[in-house]
Amino acid sequence: MFAKIDPANSTTFSCAGERLRKGELVAFPTETVYGLGAHALDAQAIEKIFVAKGRPKTDPLIVHVLSIIEALDLAVLDGAEHAAFEALATAFWPGPLTLVVRAQELIPKNVTAGGIFVGLRAPAHDVARELLRVSGVPIAAPSANRFGHVSPTTAQHVLNDLRASDVLIIDGGASQVGVESTVLKLMSVSDGVQLEILRPGFITQKDIETCLMKTAIQNATVVQKTMIVSQTEAQQSPGQLLTHYSPRLKCYLWDKTCSFENLSKQIDVSKSVLINFGKNFDAHAPLFFRTFNLSVNAKIDETSQNLFSLLREAEDVVGAEIIVLPNLELADEKWAAVYDRMFRAASGKILK
Ligand code: TXA
Ligand code: MG
């Protein structure tokens, strides 16, 4: 069978639940992006995810659960880790936070990429939650795109990438958040608990620190993992690769310091699609092959919701060869996740 989209109704849910229990693939919406799911405790089912995505076996998968209760069955936590885990999950679940913790033995090794840690997340989207309820199993799910491509925020994006695979895609409309969850690793160290942000997302470092303070979690420090710029460097979280979320066309970030004349010397503007932001480059927009806008009013929620779908629209513009994105200035930490995805879509190439 090839991929197909079905509406989110009771017939689809019971069929999807059955498929998951039988070891088959189901793609579903979450509030961040669409996931490509399989029964998290079935190693053979997990294998199908890697094949459908063309994903390297070194990249571990996030396991989706309904709540803290199901998560605790899959995690190994000491006292300090447990306190921090519970505080964070209570504050941010269901929602876009993945907690990476030591894994129980029952989790197959292909979920953890052979490691001892597993990423756990309770998604907020109604469709994802209903699927978890109906299937009755934890669901391992990476973003439902071909490996390295732009993440999907609609059912159609998933179909476009995974057309040739046997996967039932549940249509739940466009994802609200639009960029993937914050990935936070949680680990006891000699003087407390260390929390490491492996991937920036909607939940920021400040959100995490505020939560820890409010819940009186002592001796917890939050650090940001810096971006991996080399494909060959040892990877703690392979999603940190510089080139990721890549559209099929060459992609660049246009810095404010670079005049239009200077830009035109570096790329052929007449073959470029501009994905504008606010009114930044309005004056020159008509000179591009085609123009889109992430958010005319420069709003963060709109920008993050639109980014992946506009990258996909831009790469499909017939005759276009290049995509140009603004090199955003980060007003505050809320922008870090969006900027991170844009920077990687452009493989870090900034035109100055
Ligand atoms: O919002 C999301 O997180 C979406 C939805 C579907 O839940 N999922 C998602 O999955 O973005 P994926 O596989 O595309 O990205 C997961 C990221 C990768 O960077 C992976 O390396 C990291 O999380 N990750 C997962 N498990 C990990 C682990 N055990 N240790 C370190 N990093 C892990
Ligand atoms: Mg992904």
Side-chain angles (χ1 to χ4, degrees):
M1 195 188 103
F2 296 119
K4 69 162 186 157
I5 298 177
D6 275 345
N9 58 30
S10 56
T11 314
T12 303
F13 280 120
S14 65
C15 170
E18 182 63 26
R19 281 181 65 89
L20 287 172
R21 287 188 298 272
K22 277 199 319 209
E24 288 164 0
L25 300 179
V26 175
F28 58 97
T30 81
E31 70 280 20
T32 57
V33 299
Y34 273 66
L36 177 61
H39 187 331
L41 305 181
D42 177 344
Q44 280 176 353
I46 298 300
E47 184 63 28
K48 294 179 185 171
I49 293 179
F50 287 92
V51 173
K53 274 189 66 110
R55 178 172 170 123
K57 299 276 172 62
T58 49
D59 202 349
L61 306 179
I62 295 172
V63 176
H64 297 71
V65 291
L66 265 177
S67 71
I68 302 182
I69 300 166
E70 289 82 12
L72 289 175
D73 286 342
L74 304 174
V76 177
L77 302 166
D78 67 20
E81 289 167 343
H82 191 283
F85 182 91
E86 197 153 290
L88 291 161
T90 304
F92 300 112
W93 282 6
L97 177 69
T98 295
L99 293 164
V100 173
V101 292
R102 271 178 296 141
Q104 288 281 358
E105 288 284 334
L106 80 166
I107 298 177
K109 281 292 172 206
N110 51 3
V111 170
T112 62
I116 60 165
F117 289 91
V118 64
L120 300 171
R121 158 164 132 79
H125 198 292
D126 286 347
V127 170
R129 299 190 65 71
E130 185 60 14
L131 184 64
L132 281 161
R133 263 189 294 270
V134 171
S135 68
V137 298
I139 304 175
S143 51
N145 49 284
R146 288 283 299 171
F147 179 73
H149 193 216
V150 179
S151 298
T153 55
T154 67
Q156 186 62 46
H157 293 163
V158 180
L159 185 65
N160 293 347
D161 272 26
L162 302 179
R163 210 171 277 281
S165 303
D166 176 11
V167 47
L168 167 60
I169 305 163
I170 309 178
D171 191 350
S175 295
Q176 290 292 304
V177 174
V179 297
E180 303 88 341
S181 62
T182 306
V183 178
L184 183 69
K185 187 168 183 177
L186 203 150
M187 202 175 25
S188 267
V189 286
S190 58
D191 55 350
V193 181
Q194 177 164 300
L195 300 152
E196 192 173 16
I197 298 176
L198 302 180
R199 179 175 69 184
F202 182 80
I203 311 280
T204 63
Q205 179 165 355
K206 187 142 174 254
D207 296 333
I208 293 162
E209 283 168 348
T210 306
C211 161
L212 295 170
M213 210 171 65
K214 277 194 190 150
T215 47
I217 300 294
Q218 308 289 335
N219 301 326
T221 45
V222 188
V223 293
Q224 294 265 0
K225 169 100 182 133
T226 51
M227 191 177 295
I228 292 165
V229 289
S230 150
Q231 305 268 353
T232 50
E233 194 177 330
Q235 293 157 23
Q236 188 187 2
S237 184
Q240 284 300 99
L241 280 172
L242 173 61
T243 302
H244 210 87
Y245 316 110
S246 298
R248 285 192 310 272
L249 305 184
K250 262 183 264 167
C251 187
Y252 298 95
L253 299 179
W254 182 5
D255 196 67
K256 229 175 68 186
T257 58
C258 176
S259 68
F260 179 75
E261 289 64 36
N262 206 354
L263 183 84
S264 316
K265 284 183 199 147
Q266 300 179 68
I267 59 164
D268 185 346
V269 172
S270 71
K271 294 193 176 130
S272 301
V273 178
L274 172 67
I275 303 184
N276 204 358
F277 169 73
K279 305 196 183 327
N280 274 9
F281 301 117
D282 270 5
H284 297 107
L287 302 167
F288 284 79
F289 189 67
R290 182 88 189 267
T291 307
F292 299 102
N293 202 312
L294 286 163
S295 168
V296 177
N297 297 312
K299 295 268 193 290
I300 175 72
D301 292 355
E302 218 174 19
T303 305
S304 97
Q305 241 170 51
N306 288 337
L307 177 64
F308 288 148
S309 71
L310 287 185
L311 282 170
R312 282 175 176 258
E313 269 196 65
E315 71 180 3
D316 286 341
V317 171
V318 177
E321 291 179 5
I322 293 168
I323 298 172
V324 177
L325 288 161
N327 190 31
L328 288 188
E329 278 164 42
L330 302 190
D332 60 54
E333 214 202 324
K334 276 276 175 211
W335 289 89
V338 168
Y339 183 74
D340 170 77
R341 307 312 189 267
M342 289 164 81
F343 187 78
R344 288 173 213 226
S347 306
K349 296 189 296 291
I350 304 176
L351 300 174
K352 293 192 178 175

